[in-house]
Amino acid sequence: MAQVVRGVIARAKGAPVEVVPVVVPDPGPGEAVVRVQACGVCHTDLHYREGGINDEFPFLLGHEAAGVVESVGEGVEEVSPGDYVILNWRAVCGRCRACKRGRPWYCFNTHNAKQKMTLEDGTELSAALGIGAFAEKTLVAAGQCTKVDPAASPAAAGLLGCGVMAGLGAAINTGQVGRGDSVAVIGCGGVGNAAVVGSRLAGAGTIIAVDVDDRKLATAQRLGATHTVNSRAVDAVEAIRGLTGGNGADVVIEAVGRPETYRQAFYARDLAGTVVLVGVPTPEMTLELPLLDVFGRGGALKSSWYGDCLPERDFPMLIDLYLQGRLDLDAFVSETVPLDGVEEAFARMQRGEVLRSVVVF
């Protein structure tokens, strides 16, 4: 029988979010209902509210979440009621050409729940990234549930569902940072600082954090950056080169998603170095680079989508590191807020006052 829960929706472009009753149907074949325990307030949710993703309003926001499986539909074998899970927005199909080539993190046919959650008047909701976890319960595809150790705090564990995984994966999976490498991270919000942590986990020798906000740089230093650069005060490219023997960094991770910062990343890397774009650009942005420089500098220019993660592989491993005290996910939780605190949390995020606000239920 369908349930009615409280959830946060964006009803129209730019309008303040609202807490409203949301109808969650019973899970159908391949689906699961999850009782949400915590959900991070991610910049992607603000993009949805501002119409930056698409115009399929109203949106049920929230996607960076952990919780407990309440019920499952026919044919579900991945999880069972009572399992503690992190929700992910890339449920791999196992059948597309990427999956068949042994590269499921590039799956071209990821899936979501087939049924829609609705308002009480029957209006269908578009769940953010197919999850919609700013709600007491949500309906997802069972493959979007990744079982992890229940000893992990939901507020911390849920962050692997998007931003923290994106940054960690940009360093470890996409950038393939190795022992002794030099790394520069441009943009030290939640994703960029997660890339700092990922670089430290991978054994990087030099980790240079670049931002225009000294507060974010101080956080990056606490999380493992060996050097910081305020690019309002100095030329970021020259500063990075100066800290790497004049060569540039082996790996430069761009966590802003703007043409000007991407150019900085491109010229701040060593010859044959790697640039990883994990910051999300807007549709109208374009980039112009001399093709001879692209050819002559060699190396690799990569984009990192969800940190090139495979949730069933990466989430349990990272939670184990967290429980061992080797990965401080708690450091990313700046504050916890109630469900009706999302709009104010968006404002604090825009002002750069938090790494992550987390809604707890």
Side-chain angles (χ1 to χ4, degrees):
M1 186 172 178
Q3 304 178 67
V4 179
V5 302
R6 295 189 310 144
V8 173
I9 68 164
R11 197 180 293 273
K13 182 177 180 178
V17 300
E18 306 170 41
V19 179
V20 300
V22 171
V23 179
V24 181
D26 285 343
E31 296 175 342
V33 169
V34 175
R35 177 168 52 84
V36 180
Q37 294 181 318
C39 184
V41 181
C42 177
H43 208 278
T44 301
D45 294 303
L46 184 59
H47 278 319
Y48 273 103
R49 193 197 74 175
E50 297 301 306
I53 306 294
N54 58 53
D55 61 356
E56 296 172 5
F57 291 93
F59 293 110
L60 177 58
L61 301 179
H63 60 279
E64 202 174 66
V68 175
V69 175
E70 181 178 88
S71 57
V72 298
E74 181 183 345
V76 171
E77 298 178 352
E78 299 96 324
V79 290
S80 303
D83 284 346
Y84 178 61
V85 297
I86 298 173
L87 299 182
N88 74 80
W89 48 271
R90 299 211 66 203
V92 301
C93 71
R95 298 181 299 277
C96 71
R97 59 191 185 279
C99 288
K100 288 181 177 179
R101 292 175 68 193
R103 300 173 184 175
W105 49 90
Y106 293 138
C107 179
F108 302 132
N109 191 33
T110 59
H111 53 282
N112 302 315
K114 290 184 172 58
Q115 299 182 87
K116 292 280 191 179
M117 291 174 279
T118 69
L119 299 178
E120 287 187 299
D121 65 3
T123 300
E124 291 188 345
L125 294 168
S126 300
L129 291 176
I131 293 178
F134 284 157
E136 293 163 326
K137 297 178 184 180
T138 191
L139 176 76
V140 295
Q144 293 179 275
C145 301
T146 304
K147 187 176 177 180
V148 296
D149 191 323
S153 158
L159 301 186
L160 291 178
C162 188
V164 171
M165 185 68 251
L168 288 170
I172 296 171
N173 295 331
T174 315
Q176 297 184 325
V177 173
R179 292 188 298 274
D181 280 353
S182 58
V183 180
V185 178
I186 300 177
C188 295
V191 173
N193 272 315
V196 168
V197 171
S199 299
R200 180 178 56 80
L201 277 173
T206 300
I207 305 172
I208 305 163
V210 181
D211 204 284
V212 298
D213 188 330
D214 285 332
R215 296 170 301 176
K216 294 181 180 179
L217 292 173
T219 300
Q221 199 155 32
R222 288 197 301 273
L223 291 173
T226 59
H227 304 80
T228 61
V229 172
N230 188 318
S231 55
R232 274 198 208 281
V234 299
D235 183 280
V237 174
E238 292 305 315
I240 292 167
R241 287 177 176 169
L243 292 166
T244 54
N247 301 314
D250 297 310
V251 180
V252 184
I253 299 169
E254 201 277 54
V256 181
R258 295 192 59 84
E260 55 268 37
T261 45
Y262 189 90
R263 286 180 64 87
Q264 289 176 333
F266 179 81
Y267 286 110
R269 65 181 177 134
D270 196 359
L271 290 173
T274 298
V275 173
V276 176
L277 174 64
V278 66
V280 181
T282 57
E284 71 277 5
M285 290 180 180
T286 60
L287 176 70
E288 184 172 326
L289 288 170
L291 192 58
L292 184 60
D293 286 355
V294 175
F295 172 78
R297 297 183 67 83
L301 307 178
K302 299 181 175 182
S303 59
S304 183
W305 202 42
Y306 206 1
D308 287 342
C309 79
L310 184 60
E312 65 183 18
R313 175 196 67 195
D314 293 342
F315 289 3
M317 176 266 292
L318 292 169
I319 288 297
D320 285 347
L321 291 177
Y322 166 68
L323 293 174
Q324 293 165 20
R326 298 166 61 191
L327 173 58
D328 188 5
L329 294 175
D330 294 317
F332 289 89
V333 182
S334 303
E335 62 176 2
T336 58
V337 298
L339 190 61
D340 60 5
V342 170
E343 186 68 28
E344 292 79 8
F346 279 153
R348 287 190 290 275
M349 179 177 64
Q350 287 182 297
R351 293 193 297 265
E353 296 173 0
V354 294
L355 277 183
R356 268 298 184 271
S357 303
V358 179
V359 175
V360 292
F361 294 88

